[in-house]
Amino acid sequence: MRQKRVVVTGVGMVSPVGLDVESSWRSLVAGRSGISTIDTFDVDKFPTRFGGPIRGFDPTDYMPAKSVKRFDPFVHYGVAASVQALRDSGYPLDEEQNDRVGVAVGSGIGGIGTIHNTCVSFHDADSNPKKVSPFFIPSSIANMAAGQVSIQLGLNGPNIAAVSACTTGVHNIGLAARMIAAGDADAMVAGGCEMAVNPIGLAGFCAAKALSSRNDDPAAASRPWDADRDGFVLSDGAGVVMLEDIDSARARAAPIYGELVGFGMSADAHHITMPSGHGARQCMSNAIRDAEIDPARIDYINAHGTSTSGGDVVESEAIESVLGDAAHDAAVTSTKSMTGHMLGAAGSAEAIFTLLAMRDQIAPPTINLETPDKGCRLDYVPGQARDMTIDYALSNSFGFGGTNGSLVFRRVY
């Protein structure tokens, strides 16, 4: 099996804080929240009435109008971020080259809104199958974002869509990088996308009692590691990167955001929603071992940091366990304090924020952190962004079912 060094040469994003990468990053560095009261459907009966929906997005900027009508919004977001990443990389596509360029773009849930709407229509039509759209299944299956990216861009390389809840984005990036390292592809478009801020998505997470109910102050609701936190904030979006081997990138003088030097996976083998801590420790340790570095070399961590009572403490303790005394020298931030939790898109969007932190040598802040929980003892960069040296950075994602993923990036000079 061939092994190659893999770098990120393009990034794309649709998020609650911006419709592209640079606008999203500017919002984060400025500490601006994208969380607001939901006005896209009636939320009067919901215990949580806010979130991070995408505002001002026009999918026809990235897809033909006919395709827009046929596919769930999670597909629109995935295609948009992929197109942005490919454009940003300047990767040269042609009929011969496209056979070596693949796609790994997943979704944590897929087209849950389309499934809900179709079920309601089916019921209202007395279960008449003739009333179900022929595009119902292809519109909503979780791998359709990856399929549409390949179709829209003409990419004939490997096509996969890892589905692993809130770790989806990280797993797709890590697996795509390994495909390049092994010689299965020369380049991969990789990441995650999600659209769950809809009636049935919000109802499901409300029923699970996973969400904050700070309805009187949505922008202050996502508050990782704060003693007054009361759950996470549901949001939408997509984050996609362009991966290629470093020799190819350097040969064409491509922009290089960073090298992906470590990828780790693990399972908690514990509980469907509550993390154990063991899986987080193992996942980070696996990624750092894969990077072949001392854990003390990690300067910055973009944490999973969802703003839940159990998860925040478990992740903090896991970081202390893996990094030892060096854990207190690393900056650890949760950009979910501003974006909310984009589920299957969270890991890839946060991987991009990690790369930009290295590019600009700035740790984005954790906002709404006023009184740290007594079990959270790290440097969470509260309130304001910080200039600092970042040569190695770690990005964590942990999902329902106890599925975990970590990425280690190295700054490329």
Side-chain angles (χ1 to χ4, degrees), residues 228-262:
D228 198 26
R229 67 197 183 282
D230 67 335
F232 74 80
V233 175
L234 184 63
S235 61
D236 297 330
V240 174
V241 300
M242 185 71 178
L243 301 169
E244 60 182 294
D245 78 81
I246 192 169
D247 293 335
S248 163
R250 283 177 167 163
R252 65 184 188 85
I256 296 178
Y257 288 88
E259 180 178 359
L260 177 54
V261 291

Side-chain angles (χ1 to χ4, degrees), residues 261-263 286-293 392 408 410:
V261 291
F263 173 43
N286 289 344
I288 292 170
R289 183 175 59 252
D290 189 40
E292 299 181 328
I293 61 170
Y392 286 89
V408 176
R410 174 166 56 200

Side-chain angles (χ1 to χ4, degrees), residues 172-240:
N172 278 287
I173 291 174
L175 294 172
R178 289 190 170 173
M179 289 182 188
I180 296 171
D184 293 330
D186 293 336
M188 292 288 292
V189 178
C193 50
E194 202 76 79
M195 198 293 186
V197 182
N198 50 52
I200 195 65
L202 186 64
F205 283 104
C206 283
K209 300 187 184 307
L211 302 179
S212 167
S213 58
R214 197 180 292 263
N215 293 304
D216 58 344
D217 193 2
S222 183
R223 39 196 322 114
W225 304 299
D226 189 86
D228 198 26
R229 67 197 183 282
D230 67 335
F232 74 80
V233 175
L234 184 63
S235 61
D236 297 330
V240 174

Side-chain angles (χ1 to χ4, degrees), residues 144 146-155 159:
M144 189 47 68
Q148 271 296 298
V149 171
S150 284
I151 292 169
Q152 298 289 335
L153 300 175
L155 307 180
N159 187 286

Side-chain angles (χ1 to χ4, degrees), residues 202-358:
L202 186 64
F205 283 104
C206 283
K209 300 187 184 307
L211 302 179
S212 167
S213 58
R214 197 180 292 263
N215 293 304
D216 58 344
D217 193 2
S222 183
R223 39 196 322 114
W225 304 299
D226 189 86
D228 198 26
R229 67 197 183 282
D230 67 335
F232 74 80
V233 175
L234 184 63
S235 61
D236 297 330
V240 174
V241 300
M242 185 71 178
L243 301 169
E244 60 182 294
D245 78 81
I246 192 169
D247 293 335
S248 163
R250 283 177 167 163
R252 65 184 188 85
I256 296 178
Y257 288 88
E259 180 178 359
L260 177 54
V261 291
F263 173 43
M265 297 179 284
S266 72
D268 286 349
H270 171 64
H271 188 272
I272 58 171
T273 58
M274 293 299 296
S276 68
H278 174 80
R281 290 193 298 274
Q282 184 179 353
C283 184
M284 284 186 275
S285 295
N286 289 344
I288 292 170
R289 183 175 59 252
D290 189 40
E292 299 181 328
I293 61 170
D294 187 307
R297 297 292 303 276
I298 299 294
D299 303 304
Y300 168 72
I301 298 174
N302 192 302
H304 188 55
T306 56
S307 182
T308 58
S309 58
D312 288 0
V313 173
V314 164
E315 184 175 14
S316 293
E317 292 176 345
I319 291 170
E320 288 183 285
S321 175
V322 173
L323 269 63
D325 292 340
H328 300 277
D329 297 327
V332 181
T333 69
S334 172
T335 44
K336 288 188 180 75
S337 61
M338 293 166 276
T339 65
H341 193 348
M342 293 187 277
L343 307 180
S348 46
E350 290 160 10
I352 292 171
F353 295 144
T354 303
L355 290 160
L356 298 184
M358 286 199 309

